[in-house]
Amino acid sequence: MGLVQEIDYGTPASTSEKQVTLTVDGFTVTVPEGTSIMRASMEAGIAIPKLCATDMVDAFGSCRLCLVEIDGRNGTPSSCTTPVAPGMVVHTQTGRLKDIRRGVMELYISDHPLDCLTCAANGDCELQTQAGVVGLRDVRYGYEGDNHVFKKNDGAENFKWMAKDESNPYFTYDPSKCIVCSRCVRACEEVQGTFALTIEGRGFESRVSPGMHQLFIDSECVSCGACVQACPTATLSEKSVIKIGQPEHSVVTTCAYCGVGCSFKAEMRGDELVRMVPYKDGKANRGHSCVKGRFAYGYSTHKERILNPMIREKVTDPWREVSWEEALTHTANEFRRIQYQYGRTSIGGITSSRCTNEETYLVQKLIRQGFRNNNVDTCARVCHSPTGYGLGQTFGTSAGTQDFDSIEQTDVVMIIGANPTDAHPVFASRMKKRLRKGAKLIVLDPRRTDIVRSAHIEAQHHLPLKPGTNVAVVAALAHVIVTEGLFDEAFIRERCDWDEFQDWASFVALSENSPEVVGQLANVDPEEIRSAARLFATGGNGAIYYGLGVTEHSQGSTTVIAIANLAMATGNIGRPGVGVNPLRGQNNVQGSCDMGSFPHELPGYRHVSGDAVRDIYESLWGVKLDDEPGLRIPNMLDAAVDGSFKGLYVQGEDILQSDPDTKHVAAGLAAMECVVVHDLFLNETANYAHVFLPGSTFLEKDGTFTNAERRINRVRKVMAPKNGLADWEVTQKLAQAMGLAWNYQHPSEIMDEIARTTPSFAKVSYDYLEKMGSVQWPCNEQAPEGTPIMHISGFVRGKGKFIRTEYVATDERTGPRFPLLLTTGRILSQYNVGAQTRRTDNVMWHSEDRLEIHPHDAENRGLRDGDWVRLTSRSGETTLRALITDKVSPGVVYTTFHHPDTQANVITTDFSDWATNCPEYKVTAVQVGASNGPSEWQLDYDEQARNSRRIATLEAAE
């Protein structure tokens, strides 16, 4: 098996199209102009010794190991900082160079601990390797005099020595082993963009310092791991490597957290995961990572993980562990009984945006072929279903238009209702890198998110709009572009319907859409709106990135349409650097939508009413499919309360914590007779379950995820499922128990079926993904290598469609009883409902949900930072601690929803998007007041949850 090896070329690749030919040690090599000699040599297969150089960061030239000689030039320049030139003749291994390198290495080793045999980096230490490469055989200088190695010198305290910093839960910092190569500092600056590290002191006093000589845990470090990955010694070491030892084999797989879809090498020792290392060939992350994907995988072995199937008669009973056969037979019998008693449409299922495409496809297939109805829904509907509707109407396809590499050619970035530094941090790092190079930034968000103002970045325009006014503000931007003649007429006439544009233009030009009117409505300075619109229209390549702050509104679909209108009006579609880009929240939100998880759509976004589409599946599955759309989750819950919906299969989703109006969700679940939860842990929904089927983690299965850029990435099995079965196998066995003749031997066969039946996946197979690495759909005969950029020569629907976007205020209004507006979101260290991240050391950064409140609003209520407060809405109330900050505007409060003891969604209402029923999480009228502790509802909920999670212990045999 072995470790997956990646070549480190020493310096980044040049993007120049001009080629240069040179000679290195007698070998001719041709490379792009601007390439370093070090990289050119590596391209020729000649590795020049190095310590401060790595191809993830720019050349630095400090270690002096990579020196070369060049014919016709004096001296010994560093190969990492010297660019190639035509006809250049380079020598990398002369007597002079060997002597210099050995001398330099002697100096490094003279101030470095010689504990190699017991060092965590033994076998993976570049200093150790390079000492061997340069032929170091002895060190003449010894350890006498000043050093950083020993705590004491001749019995006296050595003030140059510093203790190891073990404050970070995932890695250690040992200053005694630091060679001050600055790789960690440069990785933090250039790759991550946080600027948390620096070099303090000068000369021999130099050392790496987090912040102002702080511990790592107290600094601005975001624990992305870039510094650990860059470190050539054991100065920065993963605690897992210190504990377990060096890995001996690795498997490339895909992260199961957010929609960026980072590729990682899962490095193993036997069947134990040692560490996750970002994969440089991963086209989504390009070798970078965040704290979740890099380190927060401990949930897979957490003690609370359920590994055996369980059943119970009533939700008040304790759970009883049973065999897989008993659990699946019981489930099948119950579903059959319910359908016989209450009718064919009395049961349904929910697919997961955390599971693979193949697993999601099987769940919707089970419901349509086995349950014989279309009662299937997904958590993707409660986040990005307006994206599918809005982009489908305007462009003709329900997905983003660009790949992540496109950001490198963007001139103006507009972020609407998204917080990429917290929710999509790896892509945010690439975005920040582009902004540091001069791209302009416009942010539309009620909060001052981190990207508005951070190290070396400040938004040209931040429009802190009032929650619920997205449509109006985007229309005001369009008003300026139209009335000032800033639209791209040539693009519109060629690519869109001109008459529809004129109708739309006449609408946005109305005075009611002017910045002056909208500014007063949205609490935004009209001049800021005008300036932002002019910048976007005239600043070059303009790209729009948006998130749940756009979609989770009663007018979510309308806002997506308005964004599409804005992009078409300015000609920012169909080339690199532009586009409309939804930032998907979970790892497979895009894929779960693609796979037919909505009650009205079959895979590939084809409506169930289409005879031709149904024919494809009816002939393959051998059943007659229902041509009427089924129930969405809110409809299922309503029907359950009414008594007509009685059974539910929930795979990898926690609707009790993640869906709005928690009390209504609980009432619906309590009214059902058979709730089956298929998950890793006894989540909140399992409080009302009758059957629990243990799930498998992304490390324990084969499959694919589709990320926010439509990229289909392989998920590869790293270890055997601890529960005995991968999720796709569980669903197959359930289908077989219900009488279906499924016989898939491997997920690749499921993907083959998807490709046969879904045009946008026609060329996708596991073999093809192995060859290509990854592809972006559509991937078919017309686009055999996938489609990084959509709508290049024309829109999928033909002509781009401009649609009027009338602003309609939400029914959720503030008033004397509820004068504040609550909006919700995520934080960097936690993920979604926290089921995974709460079971890792990430809780060190975020152990509870807090309520952000403006100092003015806090003062009016007599609140201090850290006080317990009662948060009340028309739907319910909860308590949590206050965090006083000016990140939110007066009149707006904000919280996260990662912790079930807070249950933020008991506050949210049942208002939803007019087109898709996507819940309006982002606008809830609330009141905030002082509190002495948990609400009565929280206490009752906690009591019910604890009782529901009891597992009966097996009595000892007599």
Side-chain angles (χ1 to χ4, degrees), residues 312-350:
R312 60 185 175 184
E313 295 303 314
K314 302 189 298 292
V315 297
T316 53
D317 294 340
W319 287 103
R320 178 169 61 88
E321 291 187 351
V322 297
S323 66
W324 276 109
E325 183 179 4
E326 182 178 349
L328 294 168
T329 301
H330 173 79
T331 301
N333 290 340
E334 278 295 280
F335 281 163
R336 285 197 203 94
R337 175 190 66 78
I338 290 171
Q339 285 191 302
Y340 179 79
Q341 186 173 347
Y342 298 100
R344 180 172 51 85
T345 60
S346 59
I347 63 174
I350 300 174

Side-chain angles (χ1 to χ4, degrees), residues 848-861:
E848 60 180 333
D849 293 321
R850 301 280 296 271
L851 183 74
E852 291 187 8
I853 184 168
H854 191 272
H856 174 75
D857 294 323
E859 184 178 1
N860 285 345
R861 290 161 175 78

Side-chain angles (χ1 to χ4, degrees), residues 14 80 100 129 134 173 315 318 334 417 428 548 571 573 614 639 704 735 914 924 940:
S14 169
C80 64
I100 293 173
T129 300
V134 303
Y173 167 50
V315 297
E334 278 295 280
L548 305 185
I573 290 289
R614 287 200 320 281
T704 57
W914 62 271
T924 306
D940 291 344

Side-chain angles (χ1 to χ4, degrees), residues 682-867:
L682 283 172
N683 59 21
E684 307 310 303
T685 304
N687 295 346
Y688 293 93
H690 305 86
V691 179
F692 186 89
L693 304 176
S696 54
T697 72
F698 77 108
L699 298 167
E700 301 165 353
K701 63 178 87 170
D702 284 299
T704 57
F705 293 150
T706 306
N707 75 350
E709 50 172 358
R710 296 170 284 103
R711 185 178 303 284
I712 306 164
N713 258 323
R714 277 283 278 116
V715 179
R716 294 179 178 87
K717 187 176 178 179
V718 173
M719 60 182 72
K722 296 187 182 303
N723 63 334
L725 298 170
D727 292 332
W728 69 271
E729 294 175 294
V730 175
T731 304
Q732 172 162 277
K733 286 183 178 294
L734 177 57
Q736 290 168 344
M738 295 196 69
L740 300 178
W742 292 9
N743 190 32
Y744 301 105
Q745 300 300 307
H746 190 267
S748 61
E749 297 176 9
I750 306 170
M751 178 53 75
D752 292 342
E753 182 173 319
I754 294 167
R756 285 199 304 274
T757 57
T758 310
S760 56
F761 278 66
K763 201 169 174 58
V764 179
S765 69
Y766 280 28
D767 287 343
Y768 196 62
L769 290 174
E770 289 294 330
K771 174 186 173 183
M772 301 295 293
S774 63
V775 294
Q776 292 171 263
W777 67 257
C779 180
N780 45 35
E781 292 303 324
Q782 292 74 38
E785 296 186 3
T787 313
I789 308 292
M790 296 284 284
H791 318 298
I792 290 177
S793 56
F795 289 99
V796 170
R797 70 181 307 279
K799 293 284 189 180
K801 185 175 181 65
F802 282 92
I803 301 173
R804 288 187 176 214
T805 53
E806 197 115 12
Y807 169 66
V808 179
T810 174
D811 290 333
E812 180 68 358
R813 310 286 175 88
T814 55
R817 284 183 61 210
F818 304 107
L820 305 174
L821 283 175
L822 169 71
T823 188
T824 61
R826 298 178 179 180
I827 201 163
L828 171 64
S829 62
Q830 295 295 322
Y831 171 70
N832 205 36
V833 297
Q836 294 149 279
T837 44
R838 280 187 285 106
R839 292 175 172 91
T840 70
D841 286 329
N842 280 27
V843 292
M844 286 191 68
W845 292 283
H846 187 79
S847 58
E848 60 180 333
D849 293 321
R850 301 280 296 271
L851 183 74
E852 291 187 8
I853 184 168
H854 191 272
H856 174 75
D857 294 323
E859 184 178 1
N860 285 345
R861 290 161 175 78
L863 302 176
R864 294 171 299 180
D865 194 68
D867 282 355

Side-chain angles (χ1 to χ4, degrees), residues 232-248:
T233 68
T235 307
L236 291 160
S237 295
E238 295 100 334
K239 288 184 175 179
S240 58
V241 173
I242 295 172
K243 178 182 178 182
I244 302 168
Q246 289 295 327
E248 43 81 25

Side-chain angles (χ1 to χ4, degrees), residues 865-937:
D865 194 68
D867 282 355
W868 284 97
V869 298
R870 188 174 302 276
L871 180 64
T872 311
S873 75
R874 295 179 180 90
S875 295
E877 65 177 38
T878 189
T879 58
L880 66 171
R881 293 196 303 136
L883 177 63
I884 299 176
T885 175
D886 62 359
K887 283 186 175 182
V888 291
S889 302
V892 176
V893 292
Y894 168 89
T895 189
T896 51
F897 53 91
H898 303 304
H899 293 269
D901 51 359
T902 304
Q903 280 288 10
N905 281 325
V906 75
I907 299 297
T908 53
T909 68
D910 59 359
F911 293 124
S912 63
D913 175 53
W914 62 271
T916 65
N917 272 144
C918 181
E920 189 169 46
Y921 292 110
K922 303 305 182 188
V923 186
T924 306
V926 297
Q927 178 59 287
V928 176
S931 172
N932 293 323
S935 67
E936 183 178 342
W937 181 86

Side-chain angles (χ1 to χ4, degrees), residues 50-67:
K50 58 183 171 59
L51 279 175
C52 74
T54 179
D55 56 15
M56 288 294 290
V57 294
D58 291 338
F60 197 55
S62 71
C63 74
R64 314 315 293 170
L65 275 187
C66 73
L67 307 180

Side-chain angles (χ1 to χ4, degrees), residues 23 105 126 159 185 881 950:
T23 301
M105 185 59 74
E126 291 182 47
F159 294 104
V185 177
R881 293 196 303 136
R950 292 171 298 146

